[in-house]
Amino acid sequence: MAASGKLSTFRLPPLLTIREIIRLFRLKAVKQLSQNFLLDLRLADKIVRKAGNLTNAYVYEVGPGPGGITRSILNANIAELLVVEKDTRFIPGLQMLSDAAPGKLRIVHGDVLTFKIEKAFPESLKRPWEDDPPNVHIIGNLPFSVSTPLIIKWLENISRRDGPFAYGRTQMTLTFQKEVAERLTANTGGKPRSRLSVMAQYLCSVQHVFTIPGRAFVPKPEVDVGVVHFTPLIQPKIEQPFKLVEKVVQNVFQFRRKYCLRGLREELKQSKSKSQEKDDDKESYVL
Protein backbone atom coordinates (compact mmCIF):
# COMPACT_ATOMS: atom_id res chain seq x y z
CA MET A 1 0.00 0.00 0.00
CA ALA A 2 1.31 3.41 -0.92
CA ALA A 3 2.38 5.56 2.00
CA SER A 4 0.49 8.76 2.65
CA GLY A 5 2.26 12.12 2.63
CA LYS A 6 3.80 14.29 -0.03
CA LEU A 7 4.44 12.35 -3.22
CA SER A 8 6.59 13.26 -6.21
CA THR A 9 4.86 13.73 -9.56
CA PHE A 10 4.34 10.41 -11.31
CA ARG A 11 3.76 9.73 -15.00
CA LEU A 12 3.30 6.36 -16.66
CA PRO A 13 6.08 5.31 -19.07
CA PRO A 14 5.24 4.83 -22.78
CA LEU A 15 2.78 1.96 -23.10
CA LEU A 16 0.75 0.10 -25.69
CA THR A 17 -2.37 2.04 -26.67
CA ILE A 18 -5.77 0.85 -25.43
CA ARG A 19 -6.56 -0.28 -28.97
CA GLU A 20 -3.35 -2.34 -29.02
CA ILE A 21 -4.18 -3.83 -25.60
CA ILE A 22 -7.59 -4.87 -26.96
CA ARG A 23 -5.93 -6.53 -29.96
CA LEU A 24 -3.15 -8.16 -27.90
CA PHE A 25 -5.56 -9.85 -25.48
CA ARG A 26 -8.31 -10.32 -28.08
CA LEU A 27 -10.80 -8.40 -25.99
CA LYS A 28 -14.34 -7.98 -27.23
CA ALA A 29 -17.10 -6.06 -25.48
CA VAL A 30 -19.87 -8.38 -24.29
CA LYS A 31 -23.22 -6.95 -25.34
CA GLN A 32 -25.11 -8.79 -22.57
CA LEU A 33 -22.90 -6.99 -20.01
CA SER A 34 -23.42 -3.57 -21.65
CA GLN A 35 -19.66 -3.19 -22.12
CA ASN A 36 -18.34 -0.22 -24.13
CA PHE A 37 -14.66 0.74 -24.29
CA LEU A 38 -13.54 4.39 -24.14
CA LEU A 39 -10.47 4.63 -26.39
CA ASP A 40 -9.99 8.41 -26.45
CA LEU A 41 -7.57 9.15 -23.60
CA ARG A 42 -8.34 12.89 -23.85
CA LEU A 43 -11.91 12.11 -22.78
CA ALA A 44 -10.62 9.77 -20.06
CA ASP A 45 -8.42 12.62 -18.81
CA LYS A 46 -11.44 14.95 -18.81
CA ILE A 47 -13.48 12.52 -16.68
CA VAL A 48 -10.63 12.38 -14.16
CA ARG A 49 -10.25 16.18 -14.11
CA LYS A 50 -13.98 16.51 -13.32
CA ALA A 51 -13.41 14.37 -10.22
CA GLY A 52 -11.42 17.27 -8.74
CA ASN A 53 -7.92 17.49 -7.35
CA LEU A 54 -6.63 13.93 -6.95
CA THR A 55 -3.16 14.79 -5.66
CA ASN A 56 -2.23 12.22 -2.99
CA ALA A 57 -5.78 10.80 -3.22
CA TYR A 58 -6.88 7.21 -2.77
CA VAL A 59 -9.11 6.27 -5.69
CA TYR A 60 -11.53 3.38 -6.13
CA GLU A 61 -12.24 2.70 -9.81
CA VAL A 62 -15.16 0.46 -10.71
CA GLY A 63 -15.28 -1.42 -14.00
CA PRO A 64 -11.83 -0.44 -15.36
CA GLY A 65 -12.11 -2.75 -18.40
CA PRO A 66 -9.04 -2.40 -20.65
CA GLY A 67 -7.73 0.45 -18.50
CA GLY A 68 -8.34 3.72 -20.35
CA ILE A 69 -9.58 5.74 -17.35
CA THR A 70 -7.17 3.76 -15.16
CA ARG A 71 -4.22 5.34 -17.01
CA SER A 72 -5.63 8.83 -16.57
CA ILE A 73 -6.11 8.27 -12.83
CA LEU A 74 -2.55 6.96 -12.43
CA ASN A 75 -1.26 10.10 -14.18
CA ALA A 76 -3.17 12.37 -11.75
CA ASN A 77 -0.49 12.10 -9.03
CA ILE A 78 -2.63 9.87 -6.80
CA ALA A 79 -1.38 7.98 -3.75
CA GLU A 80 -3.04 4.71 -4.65
CA LEU A 81 -5.61 3.32 -7.08
CA LEU A 82 -7.76 0.30 -6.28
CA VAL A 83 -9.60 -1.26 -9.23
CA VAL A 84 -12.30 -3.90 -8.97
CA GLU A 85 -12.96 -5.85 -12.16
CA LYS A 86 -15.34 -8.78 -12.51
CA ASP A 87 -14.32 -9.85 -16.03
CA THR A 88 -11.13 -11.95 -15.89
CA ARG A 89 -10.28 -11.11 -19.52
CA PHE A 90 -9.22 -7.60 -18.45
CA ILE A 91 -6.88 -8.65 -15.63
CA PRO A 92 -3.70 -9.23 -17.76
CA GLY A 93 -3.95 -5.75 -19.32
CA LEU A 94 -4.47 -4.18 -15.91
CA GLN A 95 -1.51 -6.14 -14.58
CA MET A 96 0.65 -4.52 -17.27
CA LEU A 97 -0.40 -1.12 -15.88
CA SER A 98 0.38 -2.29 -12.35
CA ASP A 99 3.87 -3.34 -13.44
CA ALA A 100 4.37 0.11 -15.01
CA ALA A 101 3.25 1.85 -11.80
CA PRO A 102 4.91 -0.02 -8.90
CA GLY A 103 3.06 0.43 -5.61
CA LYS A 104 0.34 2.58 -7.20
CA LEU A 105 -2.23 0.10 -8.50
CA ARG A 106 -4.04 -2.70 -6.67
CA ILE A 107 -6.20 -5.06 -8.72
CA VAL A 108 -9.10 -6.99 -7.24
CA HIS A 109 -10.96 -9.59 -9.25
CA GLY A 110 -14.47 -9.18 -7.85
CA ASP A 111 -17.96 -7.72 -8.15
CA VAL A 112 -18.48 -4.03 -7.28
CA LEU A 113 -21.99 -4.86 -6.06
CA THR A 114 -20.60 -7.03 -3.27
CA PHE A 115 -17.03 -5.76 -2.74
CA LYS A 116 -16.40 -4.40 0.77
CA ILE A 117 -14.36 -1.22 0.49
CA GLU A 118 -14.72 -0.09 4.12
CA LYS A 119 -11.31 -1.53 5.05
CA ALA A 120 -9.53 -1.12 1.73
CA PHE A 121 -7.87 2.23 2.52
CA PRO A 122 -6.01 3.54 5.61
CA GLU A 123 -8.09 4.46 8.68
CA SER A 124 -6.25 7.79 8.78
CA LEU A 125 -8.25 8.92 5.73
CA LYS A 126 -11.54 8.95 7.65
CA ARG A 127 -13.13 12.35 8.24
CA PRO A 128 -16.13 13.41 10.35
CA TRP A 129 -19.26 13.72 8.19
CA GLU A 130 -19.49 17.46 8.89
CA ASP A 131 -15.93 18.06 7.59
CA ASP A 132 -14.80 18.50 3.99
CA PRO A 133 -14.91 15.30 1.89
CA PRO A 134 -12.02 12.86 2.52
CA ASN A 135 -9.21 12.38 0.03
CA VAL A 136 -11.00 9.29 -1.26
CA HIS A 137 -12.75 9.24 -4.64
CA ILE A 138 -14.86 6.80 -6.65
CA ILE A 139 -14.52 6.98 -10.44
CA GLY A 140 -15.99 4.65 -13.03
CA ASN A 141 -17.24 4.08 -16.55
CA LEU A 142 -20.14 1.91 -15.43
CA PRO A 143 -21.70 -0.77 -17.64
CA PHE A 144 -25.27 0.39 -18.31
CA SER A 145 -26.64 -2.88 -16.89
CA VAL A 146 -25.34 -2.21 -13.36
CA SER A 147 -25.26 1.60 -13.19
CA THR A 148 -28.74 2.14 -11.68
CA PRO A 149 -28.68 -0.67 -9.08
CA LEU A 150 -25.15 0.36 -8.09
CA ILE A 151 -25.97 4.03 -7.56
CA ILE A 152 -29.07 3.09 -5.54
CA LYS A 153 -26.87 0.81 -3.40
CA TRP A 154 -24.35 3.61 -2.85
CA LEU A 155 -27.09 6.13 -2.04
CA GLU A 156 -28.31 3.77 0.68
CA ASN A 157 -24.69 3.53 1.90
CA ILE A 158 -24.63 7.34 2.08
CA SER A 159 -27.80 7.33 4.20
CA ARG A 160 -26.14 4.88 6.62
CA ARG A 161 -22.65 6.39 6.28
CA ASP A 162 -21.10 3.01 5.59
CA GLY A 163 -19.48 1.23 2.64
CA PRO A 164 -17.38 3.76 0.65
CA PHE A 165 -18.82 6.48 2.91
CA ALA A 166 -17.32 5.08 6.09
CA TYR A 167 -14.44 7.46 5.23
CA GLY A 168 -16.76 10.47 5.17
CA ARG A 169 -18.52 12.26 2.32
CA THR A 170 -16.65 10.40 -0.45
CA GLN A 171 -17.15 12.02 -3.86
CA MET A 172 -18.13 10.02 -6.95
CA THR A 173 -17.64 10.70 -10.67
CA LEU A 174 -19.50 8.15 -12.77
CA THR A 175 -20.82 7.56 -16.27
CA PHE A 176 -24.45 6.76 -17.12
CA GLN A 177 -26.62 6.67 -20.19
CA LYS A 178 -27.36 10.32 -20.98
CA GLU A 179 -31.06 9.82 -20.20
CA VAL A 180 -30.19 8.43 -16.74
CA ALA A 181 -27.74 11.30 -16.14
CA GLU A 182 -30.51 13.78 -16.98
CA ARG A 183 -32.88 12.04 -14.55
CA LEU A 184 -30.31 12.09 -11.77
CA THR A 185 -29.81 15.84 -12.16
CA ALA A 186 -33.34 16.96 -13.18
CA ASN A 187 -34.75 20.01 -11.41
CA THR A 188 -38.08 19.98 -9.60
CA GLY A 189 -40.85 20.29 -12.19
CA GLY A 190 -38.54 19.31 -15.05
CA LYS A 191 -39.71 16.71 -17.56
CA PRO A 192 -36.94 14.17 -16.73
CA ARG A 193 -37.77 14.41 -13.00
CA SER A 194 -38.08 10.85 -11.67
CA ARG A 195 -37.54 8.52 -8.73
CA LEU A 196 -33.78 8.69 -9.35
CA SER A 197 -33.84 12.50 -9.21
CA VAL A 198 -35.36 12.53 -5.72
CA MET A 199 -33.31 9.64 -4.34
CA ALA A 200 -30.02 11.16 -5.52
CA GLN A 201 -30.73 14.80 -4.70
CA TYR A 202 -32.10 14.34 -1.20
CA LEU A 203 -28.71 12.87 -0.24
CA CYS A 204 -26.22 14.51 -2.63
CA SER A 205 -25.30 17.56 -4.62
CA VAL A 206 -25.50 16.13 -8.16
CA GLN A 207 -24.00 17.65 -11.31
CA HIS A 208 -24.15 16.49 -14.93
CA VAL A 209 -20.67 17.75 -15.75
CA PHE A 210 -20.45 16.87 -19.46
CA THR A 211 -21.71 14.53 -22.16
CA ILE A 212 -19.62 12.07 -24.19
CA PRO A 213 -20.93 11.23 -27.69
CA GLY A 214 -21.65 7.55 -28.20
CA ARG A 215 -19.23 7.45 -31.15
CA ALA A 216 -16.33 7.84 -28.67
CA PHE A 217 -16.94 4.28 -27.44
CA VAL A 218 -16.25 0.87 -29.01
CA PRO A 219 -18.65 -0.64 -29.78
CA LYS A 220 -20.72 2.52 -30.26
CA PRO A 221 -23.75 2.47 -27.93
CA GLU A 222 -27.13 3.62 -29.22
CA VAL A 223 -27.10 6.53 -26.76
CA ASP A 224 -24.72 9.24 -25.61
CA VAL A 225 -23.12 9.04 -22.16
CA GLY A 226 -23.39 11.52 -19.31
CA VAL A 227 -20.69 12.05 -16.70
CA VAL A 228 -22.20 12.81 -13.28
CA HIS A 229 -20.44 14.09 -10.14
CA PHE A 230 -21.89 13.37 -6.68
CA THR A 231 -20.97 15.04 -3.38
CA PRO A 232 -22.89 13.72 -0.33
CA LEU A 233 -24.70 16.43 1.63
CA ILE A 234 -23.84 17.07 5.27
CA GLN A 235 -27.56 17.01 6.10
CA PRO A 236 -30.04 15.02 3.95
CA LYS A 237 -32.99 16.99 2.64
CA ILE A 238 -35.42 14.34 3.96
CA GLU A 239 -34.94 13.18 7.55
CA GLN A 240 -36.42 9.69 7.14
CA PRO A 241 -35.01 6.16 6.71
CA PHE A 242 -33.80 5.39 3.18
CA LYS A 243 -36.17 2.45 2.63
CA LEU A 244 -39.19 4.54 3.61
CA VAL A 245 -38.20 7.39 1.28
CA GLU A 246 -37.56 4.90 -1.53
CA LYS A 247 -40.97 3.25 -1.05
CA VAL A 248 -42.89 6.54 -0.98
CA VAL A 249 -41.04 7.88 -4.02
CA GLN A 250 -41.67 4.66 -5.96
CA ASN A 251 -45.39 4.92 -5.22
CA VAL A 252 -45.50 8.56 -6.32
CA PHE A 253 -43.70 8.03 -9.62
CA GLN A 254 -45.54 4.88 -10.70
CA PHE A 255 -48.45 7.14 -11.72
CA ARG A 256 -48.56 9.95 -14.24
CA ARG A 257 -47.67 13.28 -12.74
CA LYS A 258 -51.26 14.57 -12.49
CA TYR A 259 -52.23 11.40 -10.67
CA CYS A 260 -49.23 11.30 -8.31
CA LEU A 261 -51.47 11.99 -5.28
CA ARG A 262 -53.00 8.58 -5.95
CA GLY A 263 -49.61 7.02 -5.24
CA LEU A 264 -49.37 8.82 -1.91
CA ARG A 265 -52.91 7.79 -0.96
CA GLU A 266 -52.13 4.15 -1.79
CA GLU A 267 -48.97 4.27 0.32
CA LEU A 268 -50.82 5.88 3.25
CA LYS A 269 -53.61 3.29 3.01
CA GLN A 270 -51.09 0.44 3.11
CA SER A 271 -49.22 2.00 6.03
CA LYS A 272 -52.48 2.56 7.93
CA SER A 273 -53.64 -0.99 7.23
CA LYS A 274 -50.35 -2.45 8.50
CA SER A 275 -50.53 -0.26 11.59
CA GLN A 276 -54.09 -1.46 12.27
CA GLU A 277 -53.04 -5.10 11.87
CA LYS A 278 -50.28 -4.59 14.45
CA ASP A 279 -52.76 -3.00 16.86
CA ASP A 280 -55.19 -5.91 16.36
CA ASP A 281 -52.40 -8.41 17.01
CA LYS A 282 -51.50 -6.62 20.25
CA GLU A 283 -55.15 -6.58 21.35
CA SER A 284 -55.55 -10.29 20.61
CA TYR A 285 -52.45 -11.05 22.63
CA VAL A 286 -53.77 -9.10 25.63
CA LEU A 287 -57.11 -10.87 25.44
Side-chain angles (χ1 to χ4, degrees):
M1 183 176 290
S4 59
K6 189 173 181 180
L7 303 178
S8 59
T9 301
F10 171 84
R11 299 292 294 181
L12 285 167
L15 297 165
L16 294 176
T17 67
I18 297 298
R19 198 178 292 276
E20 288 169 339
I21 290 287
I22 289 171
R23 285 202 207 100
L24 176 64
F25 295 106
R26 298 178 181 178
L27 301 173
K28 290 185 179 180
V30 178
K31 187 175 181 180
Q32 293 88 335
L33 299 178
S34 308
Q35 291 177 339
N36 304 95
F37 305 148
L38 182 62
L39 304 186
D40 188 336
L41 292 185
R42 291 170 302 178
L43 287 171
D45 287 344
K46 187 174 182 180
I47 291 172
V48 172
R49 286 198 303 272
K50 293 298 182 181
N53 182 7
L54 298 185
T55 302
N56 293 358
Y58 287 74
V59 182
Y60 172 33
E61 184 189 3
V62 294
I69 296 176
T70 311
R71 296 181 184 212
S72 296
I73 297 171
L74 288 170
N75 280 329
N77 207 25
I78 51 112
E80 183 180 67
L81 170 60
L82 169 66
V83 300
V84 176
E85 177 56 65
K86 186 176 183 179
D87 193 331
T88 55
R89 298 175 304 146
F90 297 124
I91 302 299
L94 293 171
Q95 189 58 54
M96 287 179 64
L97 283 179
S98 180
D99 294 342
K104 291 275 188 179
L105 176 60
R106 275 195 292 155
I107 303 165
V108 173
H109 175 222
D111 188 339
V112 296
L113 288 168
T114 57
F115 179 70
K116 305 293 185 185
I117 192 177
E118 295 91 323
K119 298 179 181 178
F121 295 137
E123 287 280 319
S124 60
L125 293 170
K126 292 185 175 181
R127 296 288 178 269
W129 196 259
E130 296 74 19
D131 283 6
D132 290 338
N135 209 7
V136 176
H137 295 257
I138 300 174
I139 300 175
N141 175 29
L142 304 178
F144 295 156
S145 59
V146 303
S147 61
T148 299
L150 184 58
I151 194 60
I152 290 293
K153 176 182 183 295
W154 279 339
L155 289 170
E156 185 170 7
N157 287 142
I158 290 172
S159 74
R160 297 195 307 248
R161 304 181 185 183
D162 62 10
F165 310 96
Y167 300 97
R169 295 186 298 119
T170 300
Q171 297 179 81
M172 303 183 285
T173 308
L174 306 168
T175 62
F176 300 87
Q177 293 181 54
K178 184 183 176 186
E179 181 183 349
V180 176
E182 289 173 344
R183 288 178 184 171
L184 284 162
T185 57
N187 294 324
T188 303
K191 192 174 180 181
R193 190 74 172 177
S194 67
R195 174 181 71 103
L196 274 180
S197 315
V198 178
M199 297 307 296
Q201 293 173 34
Y202 100 86
L203 290 163
C204 296
S205 169
V206 191
Q207 294 177 293
H208 183 175
V209 290
F210 74 101
T211 299
I212 303 174
R215 64 179 179 274
F217 294 86
V218 176
K220 178 183 176 295
E222 296 178 0
V223 295
D224 292 337
V225 172
V227 180
V228 181
H229 184 76
F230 301 80
T231 304
L233 299 171
I234 293 175
Q235 195 72 24
K237 293 180 180 178
I238 304 173
E239 294 283 356
Q240 295 295 335
F242 182 88
K243 290 296 185 185
L244 176 60
V245 176
E246 185 177 37
K247 189 173 182 182
V248 170
V249 172
Q250 281 175 337
N251 273 279
V252 169
F253 281 98
Q254 72 179 338
F255 298 100
R256 290 184 180 178
R257 187 163 303 182
K258 66 179 181 178
Y259 298 123
C260 68
L261 284 175
R262 185 185 300 174
L264 285 173
R265 290 194 193 103
E266 289 298 320
E267 176 59 30
L268 289 171
K269 278 182 185 177
Q270 291 177 20
S271 298
K272 188 175 181 180
S273 176
K274 288 178 181 177
S275 178
Q276 185 62 50
E277 286 174 7
K278 287 181 180 178
D279 289 343
D280 290 345
D281 288 344
K282 288 179 183 177
E283 189 175 334
S284 298
Y285 178 76
V286 171
L287 290 173

